[in-house]
């Protein structure tokens, strides 16, 4: 972050976040801020005894403040006294007045992107900031301090180090070689000093070099344990005196502050903590595991990004990590790296029942010292294993016991227990392709269980998602399986196309479990179903042989024909399975093309 506003302050929007390059520490030589009032400096600092929540006005008052600030007329913005008078005169409490000042600054003063790029911010007096509506961190501090002093509220400006993704490094801040790169304010409210950082609440510079508004209030009167994660005071080259302005009982030293992992605002707001790896630098031999926890609201989903740093045009990669749920409270993230290099790891999370947005949780530097042999990438994913709500949609608790399987021959049967009948939608993806592996999963069901038979064309890691189809047609994922395939199914043969009635009638296909059948050949069919009463294939109708079983042999037609199996009850008959005749067994990539062509043709014909 340094002198640049925090890019990580806001929540992650839907889709991948913008790239944030890790850079060498900036060597900006800013003029020292000397706007502190001598009377204010006589009030000594001390640890905060009350929380932000104890001091904030009620939500109704905060809404009233926001509405009042939004109605500020342009003619009062020409001077600090007139603007301050308009913003604060309608409020009685000191905290309400300061909140109105903070709100106006963070919604009207943008960060000076050009100044950040050229290292020249120009004049930063309160009057200059009001005139330009644009400044650096020093200008934000000057304006906030001037407006507080207009109404007699003690305020100070604190210089020091700001830490975030934009200045994360393997080495720590050093008093001899690291320049001061940030400043913020403390304001005296409720008989104690409270932190305010208008710069980081206003917005951030995105990866395209544009300023993006946040208009947050996270850094308004922030509790010291949160504020100190990214702020370290260092004024007038007096380290011991500056430590008092951490406003805690036991201040940190600079080395500890520098070494600590970067925990972002979203994590602090939602109570997400770092169970392991509290330091920024993680050294990895082959692989390691990072654990985060959310003791308040459960973590619904996790997304990770890894990018090799100190390189140009790197691809952001999420397939070097694997996240596993640990009950309702924690998430375990396994790292596997393909080469000996240094990476930046960003962890994002989405909290259950809050919103649909991801927020940034933590940032690390990961140094890979040794790689694993035959390392396979993970498929793109969220959290492996069951979703938090799996029981609510009809799946039994037994599915939590195992979600990672190994297939030695390219095919595996997975038992998925359910407590109610439902329609299942499977999806199999490989680590090398974001597209679904077509017709690679066959679902066999009864009243209390599901068996998913998955076939994989080649070795590698696969993601099998089992979802429930709801009455309104929507699909809700229940569990994500990781399947490590040691040897592909040779020759790879996809399953026949199965229609939803296969699950409704609890149909088990014993043979042939393959999409493509040899043309003009005799093929045996064996099918089991307790609910089916009739079957028809082509022009032939078949009856049960024994109990719920069908067993018959047919002569297939010529090549390149869809062979449809129909079935149902006495009053109802519909498509069940679709096969295709061929002269020879095609290669896997040809199978995919033939399947997609066949599906498109049936869609057009409404078969």
């Amino acid at each position: 972050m340094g002198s640049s506003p925090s890019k990580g302050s806001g929540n992650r929007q839907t889709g991948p976040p913008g790239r944030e390059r890790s850079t060498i520490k900036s060597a900006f030589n800013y003029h020292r801020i000397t706007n502190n009032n001598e009377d204010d400096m006589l009030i000594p600092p001390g640890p905060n005894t009350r929380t932000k929540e104890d001091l904030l006005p009620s939500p109704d008052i905060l809404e009233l403040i926001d509405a009042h600030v939004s109605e500020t007329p342009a003619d009062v913005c020409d001077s600090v006294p007139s603007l301050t008078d308009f913003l604060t005169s309608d409020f009685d409490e000191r905290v309400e007045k300061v909140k109105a000042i903070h709100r106006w600054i963070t919604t009207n003063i943008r960060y000076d992107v050009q100044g950040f790029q050229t290292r020249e911010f120009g004049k930063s007096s309160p009057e200059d900031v009001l005139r330009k509506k644009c400044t650096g961190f020093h200008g934000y501090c000057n304006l906030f301090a001037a407006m507080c002093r207009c109404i007699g509220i003690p305020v100070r400006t604190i210089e020091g180090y700001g830490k975030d993704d934009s200045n994360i490094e393997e080495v720590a801040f050093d008093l001899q070689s690291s320049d001061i790169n940030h400043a913020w304010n403390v304001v005296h409210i409720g008989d104690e000093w409270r932190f305010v950082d208008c710069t980081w609440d206003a917005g951030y510079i995105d990866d395209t070099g544009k300023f993006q508004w946040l208009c947050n209030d996270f850094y308004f009167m922030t509790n010291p344990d949160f504020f100190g994660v990214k702020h370290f005071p260092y004024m007038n080259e007096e380290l011991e005196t500056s430590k008092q302005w951490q406003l805690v009982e036991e201040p940190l030293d600079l080395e500890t502050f520098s070494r600590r992992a970067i925990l972002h605002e979203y994590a602090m707001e939602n109570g997400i903590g770092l169970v392991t790896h509290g330091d920024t630098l993680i050294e990895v031999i082959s692989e390691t595991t990072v654990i985060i926890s959310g003791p308040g609201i459960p973590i619904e989903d996790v997304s990770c990004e890894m990018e090799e740093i100190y390189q140009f045009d790197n691809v952001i990669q999420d397939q070097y990590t694997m996240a596993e749920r640990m009950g309702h409270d924690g998430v375990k993230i396994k790292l596997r790296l393909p080469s000996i290099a240094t990476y930046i790891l960003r962890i994002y999370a989405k909290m259950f029942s809050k919103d649909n947005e991801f927020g940034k949780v933590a940032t690390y530097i990961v140094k890979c010292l040794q790689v694993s042999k035959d390392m396979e990438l993970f498929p793109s994913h969220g959290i492996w294993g069951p979703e938090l709500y799996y029981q609510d949609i009809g799946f039994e608790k037994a599915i939590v016991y195992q979600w990672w399987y190994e297939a030695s021959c390219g095919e595996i049967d997975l038992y998925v227990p359910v407590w109610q009948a439902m329609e299942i939608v499977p999806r199999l993806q490989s680590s090398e392709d974001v597209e679904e592996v077509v017709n690679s999963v066959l679902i066999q069901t009864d009243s209390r269980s599901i068996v998913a038979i998955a076939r994989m064309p080649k070795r590698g890691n696969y993601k099998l998602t089992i979802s429930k189809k709801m009455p309104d047609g929507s699909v809700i994922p229940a569990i994500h399986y990781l399947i490590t395939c040691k040897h592909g199914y040779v020759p790879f043969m996809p399953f026949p196309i199965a229609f939803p009635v296969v699950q409704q009638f609890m149909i088990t296909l014993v043979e042939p479990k393959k999409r493509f059948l040899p043309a003009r050949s005799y093929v045996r069919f064996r099918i089991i179903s307790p609910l089916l009463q009739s079957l028809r294939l082509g022009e032939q109708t078949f009856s049960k042989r024994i109990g719920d079983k069908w067993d018959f042999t047919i002569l297939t037609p010529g090549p390149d024909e869809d062979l449809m199996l129909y079935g149902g009850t006495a009053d109802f008959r519909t498509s069940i399975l679709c096969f295709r005749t061929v002269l020879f067994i095609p290669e896997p990539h040809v199978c995919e093309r033939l399947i997609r062509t066949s599906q498109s043709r049936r869609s057009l014909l409404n078969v």
Side-chain angles (χ1 to χ4, degrees), residues 67-90 100-101 104-105 108-109 126-127 129-131 133 143 147 150:
H68 178 68
V69 170
S70 67
E71 297 171 354
T72 305
D75 59 359
V76 305
C77 299
D78 294 334
S79 71
V80 171
S82 62
L83 175 59
T84 306
D85 181 66
F86 174 83
L87 293 173
T88 63
S89 58
D90 287 352
I101 293 171
W104 187 91
I105 292 176
N108 287 273
I109 307 299
E127 293 74 21
V129 175
L130 279 184
R131 178 176 53 83
K133 298 292 192 297
L143 180 59
M147 295 177 74
C150 272

Side-chain angles (χ1 to χ4, degrees), residues 155-347:
V155 62
R156 288 197 59 169
T157 295
I158 307 296
E159 290 180 316
Y161 298 104
K163 183 174 68 169
D164 207 332
D165 284 9
S166 63
N167 61 1
I168 185 173
E169 285 193 74
E170 300 174 59
V171 297
F173 288 102
D174 180 82
L175 296 180
Q176 282 69 46
S177 60
S178 302
D179 293 320
I180 296 300
N181 66 0
H182 195 44
W184 52 94
N185 296 108
V186 288
V187 61
H188 203 256
I189 293 177
D191 297 325
E192 55 189 22
W193 292 103
R194 306 294 308 195
F195 291 118
V196 177
D197 190 337
C198 293
T199 310
W200 287 5
D201 274 342
Y204 64 92
I205 300 173
D206 66 16
D207 58 311
T208 66
K210 295 181 180 180
F211 178 77
Q212 301 292 339
W213 290 100
L214 282 176
C215 306
N216 278 352
D217 64 358
F218 182 85
Y219 286 111
F220 176 74
M221 295 177 53
T222 314
N223 296 330
D225 52 343
F226 288 170
F227 198 85
V229 171
K230 295 186 176 183
H231 298 75
F232 186 88
Y234 182 55
M235 299 176 294
N236 303 319
E237 300 183 354
E238 296 179 1
L239 184 59
E240 292 304 315
T241 302
S242 298
K243 280 184 178 181
Q244 301 176 69
W245 290 103
Q246 296 180 33
L247 304 183
V248 293
E249 292 283 358
E250 298 181 5
L252 297 177
D253 56 52
L254 183 58
E255 181 182 356
T256 302
F257 168 78
S258 303
R259 192 178 63 242
R260 288 199 310 183
I262 296 179
L263 194 66
H264 292 284
E265 291 80 357
Y266 186 86
M268 292 184 273
E269 288 176 320
N270 290 285
I272 302 176
L274 306 177
V275 179
T276 63
H277 297 86
D279 290 350
T280 297
L281 180 61
I282 301 176
E283 293 186 336
V284 177
I285 297 177
S286 297
E287 64 180 51
T288 192
T289 298
V290 176
I291 300 176
I292 62 174
S293 67
I297 302 172
I299 299 172
E300 178 179 353
D301 203 355
V302 163
S303 175
C304 298
E305 293 179 345
M306 294 205 69
E307 178 186 11
E308 188 175 345
I309 62 174
Y310 311 130
Q311 299 291 331
F312 294 101
D313 300 324
N314 286 317
V315 175
I316 293 178
Q317 179 64 266
D318 66 351
Q319 293 178 275
Y320 302 156
T321 62
M322 180 188 71
E324 171 191 355
R325 193 181 306 285
M326 299 174 62
H328 281 263
D329 297 336
V331 175
K332 183 189 300 182
I333 302 165
K334 180 172 289 187
L335 312 182
R336 285 183 180 172
L337 302 175
S339 59
I340 297 175
T342 302
Y343 301 82
I344 184 168
L345 165 66
R346 302 183 188 93
I347 301 174

Side-chain angles (χ1 to χ4, degrees), residues 50 151 161 174 493 532 584:
R50 287 184 285 177
I151 50 177
Y161 298 104
D174 180 82
M493 179 55 63
L532 276 179
F584 60 91

Side-chain angles (χ1 to χ4, degrees), residues 56 78 194 198 270 391 467 529 548 565:
L56 277 180
D78 294 334
R194 306 294 308 195
C198 293
N270 290 285
Q391 289 182 292
S467 302
S529 172
D548 299 329
L565 180 66

Side-chain angles (χ1 to χ4, degrees), residues 496-499 512 514-525 536-540 542 552-566 575-582 598 601-602 607:
I497 297 171
F499 294 89
K514 53 186 179 180
R515 170 77 171 102
F516 299 104
L517 304 179
R520 301 189 185 96
S521 301
Y522 287 98
V523 177
R524 184 183 181 186
F525 284 77
R536 182 167 65 84
L537 188 62
E539 299 301 322
Q540 303 180 65
F542 303 94
F552 56 87
T553 300
I554 68 162
L555 178 64
T556 60
D560 301 326
E561 290 191 25
D562 279 343
L563 193 60
M564 192 72 71
L565 180 66
Y566 298 93
S575 304
I576 297 177
L577 296 163
C578 183
F579 305 85
R580 187 167 181 81
T581 57
V582 292
S598 177
R601 184 188 303 123
R602 285 200 316 280
V607 176

